[in-house]
Amino acid sequence: MTNLMEETTYLYQGLKRTVRRSRDPEGDALDAVTVALLAYPLHANEDFAFDDADIASWKTYAGQMHDDFMGIAKAIREKDTDTARDLYSNATRSCAACHKKFREE
């Protein structure tokens, strides 16, 4: 799981510049889709959850991650930087909230 999260973080950080101005919309969109697809094994992994409420939260965060990054991919392809930035901000907040809940507890 650690390697998966490290790869997710690497791609996520690379998208920070991209959502402002992509030089390679198709390649950058594929990076966003990759992050979205990495949400599936995260969704399936319940190792970080302690009870049913935690499992529900974990799955919600993973689902949000998928949805945000698929939206980012679409916005990058359409060169819609406002939407890409908004979704990236949403993803940043969601990732931070998940990390706070599951890494700091």
Side-chain angles (χ1 to χ4, degrees), residues 67-81:
D67 294 347
D68 284 342
F69 282 94
M70 288 302 290
I72 290 167
K74 181 178 185 227
I76 289 170
R77 281 190 184 109
E78 294 174 353
K79 299 178 183 173
D80 181 354
T81 56

Side-chain angles (χ1 to χ4, degrees), residues 68-98:
D68 284 342
F69 282 94
M70 288 302 290
I72 290 167
K74 181 178 185 227
I76 289 170
R77 281 190 184 109
E78 294 174 353
K79 299 178 183 173
D80 181 354
T81 56
D82 290 337
T83 298
R85 272 193 306 250
D86 289 347
L87 288 169
Y88 189 85
S89 292
N90 288 346
T92 298
R93 284 189 297 276
S94 182
C95 289
C98 184

